[in-house]
Amino acid sequence: MNKLQKFGEMASLQHVIQADFNEVFRKDYKLKGKWNELFFKNNNPIILELGCGKGEYTVALAKRYPELNFIGIDIKGARMYTGAMQSFQERLKNVAFVRTHIELTDSFFAQNEINEIWLTFPDPQMNKTRKRLTSTKFLTLYSKFLKSDGIIHLKTDSNFQFSYTLALIKENSFKIIEKYEDVHNQIVSTSVLNIKTYYEERFIEYGIPIKYCCFIPDFSLPLCEPEIDIPKDVYRNAGRGVKLY
Ligand SMILES: C[S@@+](CC[C@H](N)C(=O)[O-])C[C@H]1O[C@@H](n2cnc3c(N)ncnc32)[C@H](O)[C@@H]1O
């Protein structure tokens, strides 16, 4: 199926939101602050997966936790199609997908509307701090909708992304809840960390250890960027001979 056919099919799915740029740029989307009332029709916590790709975490977590609501967000509709169709075919009522830029998420969600954020294999953006999904720029964005005790999960192949995020956590005295340097050799079989994304499967094929941490950011003080040098040869994953991002 080509991209246009996928987009056509997704347009008919009520749980897939593809708002026009003009509908959300510097404007509030109609569901902002009302996702539970108007969309999920319950009062359950809402969890986002940002840069969800095919939405493996969104769908698998929704199946495992029917008492929670999940929203996968990505700009690439052809990838999202996989999770959108799977959740439709499995009649999951606690899933939505939003096709938009992560930078616009504050047009979709109101203060305290979101309980947790998953970042699954974001591009490490080694040369551009402001594009890194765990940078202070993005944390400032998340502070507009993440609850004060809300959790951020990061799963990554990238030594650089992981080291940078741990340095940021330390610099800002955030509370770290869990941390693994080699998830698939450290976790128990029932852990949600066994859910594997499309990119993750490929990194595992290349023998790259998968890293994970989750933490509670504190937005009550100004956020500080950590000082971190980028010796690229050290941080680039050994064995990554292909450009996956
Ligand atoms: C490396 S892929 C990971 C996809 C998926 N989470 C996985 O692990 O297979 C990064 C994803 O983030 C999405 N993405 C990157 N920057 C984005 C942005 N600013 N807004 C929306 N999506 C973005 C890309 O479209 C891509 O699907």
Side-chain angles (χ1 to χ4, degrees):
M1 184 178 282
N2 67 30
K3 272 189 187 178
L4 278 182
Q5 287 167 319
K6 285 182 180 177
F7 288 150
E9 221 173 301
M10 280 207 301
S12 67
L13 299 177
Q14 287 188 349
H15 72 306
V16 179
I17 280 118
Q18 305 190 70
D20 281 345
F21 184 75
N22 290 336
E23 265 184 280
V24 290
F25 183 62
R26 295 187 182 151
K27 277 188 203 149
D28 290 347
Y29 185 65
K30 58 189 176 200
L31 288 175
K32 179 171 175 172
K34 296 179 186 154
W35 280 87
N36 274 346
E37 182 197 342
L38 300 180
F39 184 87
F40 292 114
K41 303 197 187 328
N42 59 40
N43 274 324
N44 296 339
I46 302 178
I47 290 140
L48 302 183
E49 183 186 6
L50 301 181
C52 68
K54 297 184 182 209
E56 289 90 346
Y57 260 85
T58 299
V59 173
L61 289 174
K63 283 162 77 168
R64 193 183 283 218
Y65 300 108
E67 73 284 9
L68 303 175
N69 299 322
F70 294 88
I71 304 176
I73 296 179
D74 204 292
I75 194 59
K76 295 203 173 150
R79 289 185 182 174
M80 182 180 281
Y81 174 84
T82 305
M85 289 312 292
Q86 193 187 344
S87 46
F88 174 69
Q89 281 155 2
E90 298 193 25
R91 296 170 198 265
L92 300 179
K93 297 288 172 239
N94 58 335
V95 175
F97 282 95
V98 177
R99 183 168 171 238
T100 192
H101 290 280
I102 294 164
E103 289 81 350
L104 298 176
T105 38
D106 58 335
S107 295
F108 285 88
F109 306 107
Q111 203 175 13
N112 294 323
E113 196 166 19
I114 300 302
N115 289 65
E116 296 182 30
I117 294 174
W118 279 82
L119 304 171
T120 49
F121 298 88
D123 187 327
Q125 298 286 1
M126 290 176 59
N127 297 320
K128 291 181 195 143
T129 310
R130 67 196 160 76
K131 289 197 160 189
R132 224 170 278 153
L133 292 192
T134 52
S135 66
T136 53
K137 182 187 158 213
F138 276 92
L139 288 178
T140 302
L141 175 69
Y142 309 152
S143 74
K144 295 179 184 171
F145 48 78
L146 187 64
K147 288 198 164 148
S148 61
D149 57 350
I151 298 173
I152 298 182
H153 305 257
L154 169 71
K155 210 178 183 196
T156 181
D157 63 296
S158 161
N159 288 329
F160 171 73
Q161 173 94 64
F162 196 59
S163 305
Y164 166 79
T165 305
L166 293 179
L168 176 128
I169 289 169
K170 193 170 172 203
E171 180 75 34
N172 291 280
S173 305
F174 293 161
K175 185 177 170 196
I176 191 149
I177 305 171
E178 226 178 337
K179 177 177 85 137
Y180 298 110
E181 310 271 341
D182 187 357
V183 167
H184 296 296
N185 280 313
Q186 288 179 278
I187 50 157
V188 293
S189 58
T190 49
S191 168
V192 294
L193 298 180
N194 274 312
I195 299 165
K196 295 189 187 77
T197 73
Y198 172 76
Y199 273 78
E200 182 169 4
E201 297 274 16
R202 298 188 64 191
F203 293 125
I204 291 171
E205 274 171 32
Y206 286 105
I208 297 170
I210 302 304
K211 292 149 277 280
Y212 167 83
C213 65
C214 65
F215 61 97
I216 300 179
D218 177 359
F219 298 128
S220 65
L221 295 171
L223 297 172
C224 299
E225 272 297 327
E227 294 232 352
I228 178 163
D229 290 334
I230 309 181
K232 291 186 182 158
D233 294 345
V234 176
Y235 280 118
R236 252 186 225 297
N237 284 311
R240 189 198 286 184
V242 283
K243 182 157 170 42
L244 295 181
Y245 290 108

